[in-house]
């Protein structure tokens, strides 16, 4: 980065630091663990580290504030993905209800797993193998094609036909409420 741009950034930061912090705090307002100062410092550090700009910065204020907005959005997105503890929502009476709820979900999951297993057993082996390897084990279709020494189009067709049949089988099992 040119020395001139760095000096502009540092003088801008000196003049506008408090305003940027209050801007970040007003947008952030107890949503994330970071304070407004942390956000401003992260943004300014990233700007100072940047070695080259494609175009010269014409309006440093708008560039810095846009960078600050982008960083706040990133932090909010990251924060929204964090796990939330249910302990603060549970009291002594509701903990047994919660345990019953979780056990009910486990039973439903087991029923669903059994349903899928039964439906898969009806499929032809070639289709079942592709679906199990790709959907359940997470293997790529290309890997499966290489393993089976078949064209990728054949593997795609097997999966497509198998998924359609699987859907039909599961729907009919649910309608009939019976096992295969």
């Amino acid at each position: 980065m040119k020395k001139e741009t760095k000096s502009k950034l540092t003088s801008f930061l000196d003049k506008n630091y408090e305003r940027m912090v209050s801007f970040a705090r007003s947008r952030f307002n107890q949503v994330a663990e970071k304070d407004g100062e942390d956000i401003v410092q992260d943004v300014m550090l990233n700007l100072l580290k940047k070695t080259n700009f494609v175009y010269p910065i014409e309006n440093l204020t708008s560039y810095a504030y846009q960078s600050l907005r982008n960083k706040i959005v990133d932090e909010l997105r990251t924060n929204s993905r964090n796990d939330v503890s249910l302990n603060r929502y549970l009291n002594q009476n509701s903990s047994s209800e919660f345990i019953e709820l979780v056990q009910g979900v486990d039973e439903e999951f087991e029923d669903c797993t059994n349903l899928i297993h039964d439906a898969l057993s009806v499929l032809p082996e070639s289709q079942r193998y592709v679906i199990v390897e790709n959907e359940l084990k997470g293997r790529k279709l290309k890997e499966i094609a290489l393993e089976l020494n078949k064209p990728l189009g054949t593997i795609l067709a097997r999966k497509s036909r198998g998924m359609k049949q699987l859907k039909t089988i599961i729907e009919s099992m649910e309608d009939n409420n019976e096992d295969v």
Side-chain angles (χ1 to χ4, degrees):
M1 179 186 288
K2 294 179 182 177
K3 197 172 191 178
E4 176 185 319
T5 307
K6 274 191 178 183
S7 66
K8 282 184 183 178
L9 279 171
T10 52
S11 76
F12 172 80
L13 181 60
D14 291 341
K15 291 177 188 174
N16 296 294
Y17 183 77
E18 291 301 320
R19 283 189 356 202
M20 290 178 74
V21 168
S22 68
F23 174 81
R25 283 183 181 150
S26 71
R27 299 289 192 277
F28 228 40
N29 199 17
Q30 301 175 359
V31 177
E33 298 163 3
K34 284 191 170 182
D35 184 36
E37 288 186 43
D38 295 333
I39 301 295
V40 171
Q41 289 171 3
D42 285 348
V43 167
M44 294 313 290
L45 183 63
N46 287 337
L47 289 176
L48 288 170
K49 281 184 181 178
K50 206 167 193 179
T51 56
N52 60 346
F53 289 93
V54 177
Y55 299 105
I57 301 173
E58 292 179 17
N59 189 344
L60 185 59
T61 304
S62 65
Y63 187 85
Y65 275 91
Q66 187 60 50
S67 298
L68 189 58
R69 279 187 204 97
N70 292 343
K71 180 67 174 175
I72 290 169
V73 169
D74 290 345
E75 289 293 328
L76 292 174
R77 284 182 184 152
T78 303
N79 191 38
S80 68
R81 292 183 198 134
N82 292 342
D83 295 336
V84 176
S85 172
L86 296 176
N87 290 337
R88 65 179 162 168
Y89 300 110
L90 297 176
N91 58 33
Q92 295 293 21
N93 299 332
S94 63
S95 63
S96 61
E97 293 170 10
F98 179 72
I99 291 170
E100 290 172 10
L101 175 68
V102 170
Q103 288 172 341
V105 169
D106 285 344
E107 290 169 6
E108 287 179 31
F109 179 75
E110 188 175 321
D111 292 342
C112 184
T113 303
N114 291 336
L115 179 73
I116 291 171
H117 183 269
D118 292 344
L120 279 170
S121 68
V122 175
L123 289 178
E125 173 59 30
S126 61
Q127 293 173 358
R128 179 175 52 242
Y129 182 79
V130 171
I131 290 171
V132 167
E133 292 297 311
N134 180 248
E135 294 295 327
L136 301 179
K137 295 183 180 178
R139 291 185 60 202
K140 295 184 183 209
L141 292 172
K142 207 174 209 179
E143 291 176 15
I144 299 168
L146 289 173
E147 175 191 328
L148 297 176
N149 199 23
K150 300 283 182 188
L152 182 60
T154 302
I155 302 302
L156 286 166
R158 287 179 182 177
K159 181 181 177 188
S160 176
R161 277 189 238 114
M163 293 299 277
K164 286 177 186 173
Q165 281 184 313
L166 195 60
K167 180 181 177 188
T168 304
I169 293 167
I170 289 173
E171 286 173 350
S172 70
M173 290 170 72
E174 287 177 338
D175 289 344
N176 296 332
N177 201 12
E178 61 185 40
D179 291 333
V180 174

